[in-house]
Amino acid sequence: MWTFIRYPEKSSWNDLLQRPNDDAPEIRERVETILSRVRTDGDAALLALTAELDGVQLDKLAYEVPGRQKIIQQLPDPLREAIDLAVANIRRFHQAQLTDEIAVETMPGIRCWQKSLPIASVGLYVPGGSAPLFSTLMMLAIPARIAGCRQLVVCSPPMKDGSLHPALLYVASLCEIPIIYRVGGAQAIAAMAWGTETIPRVDKIFGPGNRYVTLAKQLLQQEGLAIDMPAGPSEVAVLGDSSCPPEFAAADLLSQAEHGPDSQVLLVSTDEAWMSEVENALRKQLSSLPRQAVAIRALSHSKACLMKNEDEAIALLNAYAPEHLILACRHARALAERIEHAGSVFIGYYAPESVGDYASGTNHTLPTAGFARAWSGVHVDSFRKKISFQELSREGLRAIGPAVETLALAEGLQGHQQAVAIRLRQLYASDDGLKT
């Protein structure tokens, strides 16, 4: 079970809030080896690594998404209807994020504007492994389509028989994705970063994953690859009190603990008796959880912190900067206004983290490991780039030119000053000047 800490001193918070850490040098060495193999051998390396690491023999990487009616025949109606509902909500929330072009006349004769354009080619990584996370494809492909990206390259590890889950194929069909490449892990990230004989090179890679995937993204970012964020093992923090049924909080904690052995959960409260009730409820629910073994490993490096007061509890949570934060307590809405660092916040007793993972409409691709201090979750603008424009008339340059010359000379950049001065001399020499 987790580690219980009573009234932790602030000086201990940094160590207390550390995420699980495997043997980093060993992981880095393995990831670098994988990247090197893919860079050198392309598709051959991907097929070999899929056999070695996933135990799946493939003769090709590309998997054509069947027609939607054929996929529907393999899906139970309730699952198909649930996916349809989730897709509608995700699309509605992300569609609302589109913004108009910004245009400002900063001074007479000087017009500046900003234009958003889609990133041409994006790579979407959909984890598989122990569970088919088709929801991740919804969270990535829908905003990518809304943003207007022309090419969506999707990689996901195959199931043991080499196929892909029908739910993943159904989501792909809804998002007009014709091909999914059956490759996972760090090797999938490398393939999309550099391109292979089969998999196209992309401009930016999105998607969560384990430590190997996250490290691969970070290493390739150093070579110029754009990534969405460092999104590694999942985590949740729950702030609760006696007003919340303990079984609710226990279920929320297990919903993240079951993700993987390197996931982490954090329970925070000022009520020790309630925390004990949550632990009892958690043990009871854990006994019937199908992924019990995974959850137990995650709980072994998780924490329960009893705080002296509400202010310290909020300060601790902001220091932790969780991927998911659940406020299952009195005055949750007011407390939410005090949260400064979190990927996504769930307010009240009836907002389990699961709804954000699947169907409320918000995005579940979120920063982990404390990166929520500076990073945001995926949104439509994650798939767009912004270009600024400026247009000056003769009058505009006359008005601003002298100030620019002064600033350039103050920085010792005479070439910058001359680019303005040469134009101003011509304008002053002739009333006709340069035409706009």
Side-chain angles (χ1 to χ4, degrees), residues 41-275:
D41 297 328
D43 283 356
L46 297 177
L47 292 169
L49 287 164
T50 301
E52 294 169 20
L53 303 178
D54 300 322
V56 181
Q57 296 282 348
L58 299 175
D59 57 359
K60 65 176 184 177
L61 298 165
Y63 191 100
E64 294 185 8
V65 176
R68 194 174 303 168
Q69 289 306 313
K70 184 176 180 180
I71 301 170
I72 288 174
Q73 293 173 10
Q74 304 174 59
L75 276 182
D77 286 343
L79 177 55
R80 177 182 56 78
E81 292 166 1
I83 291 173
D84 289 343
L85 181 147
V87 165
N89 285 348
I90 296 165
R91 186 170 286 140
R92 187 175 297 116
F93 181 72
H94 288 78
Q95 187 73 41
Q97 297 172 16
L98 287 174
T99 56
D100 295 330
E101 181 179 292
I102 298 170
V104 178
E105 187 177 53
T106 56
M107 59 190 298
I110 303 176
R111 182 172 178 266
C112 301
W113 66 99
Q114 186 183 77
K115 185 176 182 180
S116 292
L117 292 171
I119 297 171
S121 178
V122 294
L124 312 182
Y125 180 70
V126 181
S130 58
L133 300 183
F134 54 86
S135 57
T136 295
L137 185 57
M138 295 190 290
M139 297 293 175
L140 298 178
I142 291 172
R145 286 298 185 205
I146 290 172
C149 300
R150 290 197 298 271
Q151 184 179 51
L152 276 58
V153 177
V154 179
C155 287
S156 188
M159 296 192 292
K160 290 303 181 183
D161 64 356
S163 67
L164 295 170
H165 195 281
L168 181 66
L169 297 175
Y170 182 61
V171 174
S173 72
L174 293 176
C175 297
E176 301 179 352
I177 295 169
I179 293 174
I180 296 177
Y181 298 98
R182 294 176 293 176
V183 59
Q187 58 269 31
I189 305 303
M192 292 187 286
W194 293 318
T196 70
E197 301 92 322
T198 299
I199 299 177
R201 180 186 180 278
V202 302
D203 299 315
K204 186 175 182 179
I205 293 179
F206 295 78
N210 59 20
R211 295 189 180 280
Y212 296 90
V213 168
T214 300
L215 182 56
K217 289 168 68 176
Q218 292 172 324
L219 290 175
L220 290 167
Q221 186 182 33
Q222 296 172 15
E223 297 191 15
L225 172 71
I227 65 170
D228 50 354
M229 72 192 79
S234 191
E235 60 195 32
V236 68
V238 176
L239 174 64
D241 58 29
S242 60
S243 67
C244 174
E247 59 269 21
F248 285 15
D252 288 329
L253 295 167
L254 287 176
S255 74
Q256 290 305 293
E258 73 171 358
H259 258 295
D262 49 2
S263 296
Q264 186 181 60
V265 302
L266 174 67
L267 178 65
V268 179
S269 182
T270 59
D271 187 333
E272 187 170 0
W274 178 79
M275 296 176 79

